[in-house]
Amino acid sequence: MLIKKITKVENMIDTHIHSDTRPYEDFERMALSLDGVITLAHDPLKPYSMDVLRAHFDRLIEGEIERGKKNGLKVFVCLGIHPRMIPPDVNYSMLKEYLKNKHVVGVGEIGLEKSSKEEIEVFERQLLIAQGLNLPAVVHTPRRNKKEVTKTILEIIDSLSLKKDMERRIVIDHCNKETVSMIYDRGMYIGLTVQPGKLTPGEVVEIVKEYEGDRSLLNSDSSSAPSDILAVPRTVLKMKMEEIEEEIIKKVSYINAKVLFNLKV
Ligand SMILES: [Zn+2]
């Protein structure tokens, strides 16, 4: 009886993956259910120099968009310096040039891992660059000390006195049940990552019920760590089975992402 109520799953975007870590075959699998994915810069290699990041950015912009095209999957890109990928010769003007590329839809992922002085400085600079270029920013929060580090991130954002418009375009990603409210209350987006060790589809259902899908973005963070490339469609199905309203499901799995990142899908 319940199954009869489940309507067709349509229009979905995975807002946070690392497609360069995934095999070619995954692209078609994702394209079967997703309208698009956002692939973000991360920490694929040791950052011996800014040139390593440049090679990584090129791979995302050229290689990954092309691999997507060959499989019918629309790939959008966010670029930035991940807290685990800070080179000794950080070059912000080079980063800015890359961020002006027409395929880039945001700055990310940036954020903090251990909250070192260096991480904080690089994070602050990139938030200001995002504001200057009028781009949304995707902020990583670590698995360890998530609550503490999230608090520090919010304090840093406060200290920068960003324009209200910019603050409202910040995604604090990989939220958990402990951190969701402090982020939501500040008017920022909550990134809901369904991945082993992060959220389960069931936990997402609880959060979505509470916030009715406002400022919420669903993603799989598919990477070289254990991941589920179908986490978004799987969670959408779970939401339908739990009888969450169609409008709310659409917001979390598609509309919020399309609007925030201005995606042409
Ligand atoms: Zn990630």
Side-chain angles (χ1 to χ4, degrees):
M1 229 168 79
L2 181 64
I3 301 299
K4 277 187 186 161
K5 288 188 178 174
I6 298 172
T7 49
K8 193 176 160 279
V9 175
E10 52 190 343
N11 293 131
M12 284 179 268
I13 294 166
D14 190 334
T15 58
H16 187 138
I17 71 165
H18 302 290
S19 65
D20 54 316
T21 65
R22 307 301 307 187
Y24 188 79
E25 293 74 18
D26 275 1
F27 284 72
E28 190 192 28
R29 265 181 225 129
M30 288 188 275
L32 288 171
S33 52
L34 297 166
D35 294 89
V37 298
I38 303 178
T39 193
L40 291 91
H42 59 118
D43 59 334
L45 294 166
K46 266 199 172 185
Y48 292 116
S49 76
M50 194 70 194
D51 277 346
V52 178
L53 277 83
R54 200 155 63 95
H56 178 45
F57 295 165
D58 285 340
R59 161 110 197 237
L60 296 185
I61 289 175
E62 294 160 16
E64 294 308 291
I65 289 174
E66 196 50 37
R67 290 211 297 160
K69 259 188 203 153
K70 285 184 179 151
N71 286 285
L73 182 68
K74 202 134 188 157
V75 177
F76 301 95
V77 179
C78 283
L79 297 180
I81 304 170
H82 190 285
R84 293 193 303 257
M85 188 73 180
I86 301 173
D89 55 343
V90 178
N91 183 336
Y92 294 106
S93 43
M94 183 195 285
L95 173 66
K96 269 195 229 169
E97 282 315 303
Y98 272 97
L99 289 168
K100 289 176 189 162
N101 185 288
K102 65 175 178 182
H103 298 293
V104 172
V105 296
V107 178
E109 64 187 290
I110 57 174
L112 300 182
E113 183 72 31
K114 294 183 180 143
S115 307
S116 68
K117 226 178 127 191
E118 185 188 40
E119 282 183 14
I120 291 173
E121 195 202 319
V122 173
F123 177 46
E124 288 176 341
R125 288 287 296 267
Q126 294 187 96
L127 282 173
L128 294 170
I129 289 172
Q131 175 169 267
L133 295 173
N134 201 21
L135 286 170
V138 180
V139 180
H140 161 92
T141 57
R143 289 178 194 236
R144 255 189 236 171
N145 300 328
K146 190 176 286 286
K147 198 174 173 186
E148 288 317 304
V149 178
T150 303
K151 274 188 194 158
T152 308
I153 285 171
L154 295 179
E155 280 163 21
I156 291 169
I157 293 171
D158 268 342
S159 73
L160 289 176
S161 305
L162 298 169
K163 291 178 198 145
K164 274 281 155 249
D165 266 14
M166 180 63 215
E167 269 203 26
R168 286 194 212 104
R169 300 184 80 198
I170 295 175
V171 183
I172 309 291
D173 222 324
H174 322 317
C175 295
N176 64 17
K177 283 193 277 181
E178 269 193 328
T179 60
V180 152
S181 66
M182 62 172 132
I183 299 157
Y184 187 85
D185 293 347
R186 289 283 312 276
M188 295 169 203
Y189 278 79
I190 48 180
L192 304 173
T193 303
V194 176
Q195 191 186 28
K198 291 180 184 153
L199 296 171
T200 63
E203 286 169 325
V204 168
V205 165
E206 283 175 42
I207 294 169
V208 168
K209 275 184 180 163
E210 192 171 342
Y211 297 97
E212 301 192 324
D214 286 338
R215 281 185 269 117
S216 309
L217 301 168
L218 207 50
N219 66 68
S220 68
D221 200 4
S222 289
S223 63
S224 49
S227 312
D228 175 10
I229 54 162
L230 298 180
V232 171
R234 210 182 295 284
T235 307
V236 165
L237 178 63
K238 179 86 177 160
M239 289 191 280
K240 286 181 181 259
M241 288 164 72
E242 297 282 335
E243 300 189 347
I244 289 180
E245 278 172 49
E246 187 88 20
E247 283 309 301
I248 294 176
I249 299 176
K250 277 186 186 162
K251 277 199 277 185
V252 188
S253 59
Y254 182 69
I255 295 169
N256 290 348
K258 188 171 154 66
V259 172
L260 175 66
F261 294 99
N262 194 21
L263 305 180
K264 309 279 179 272
V265 280

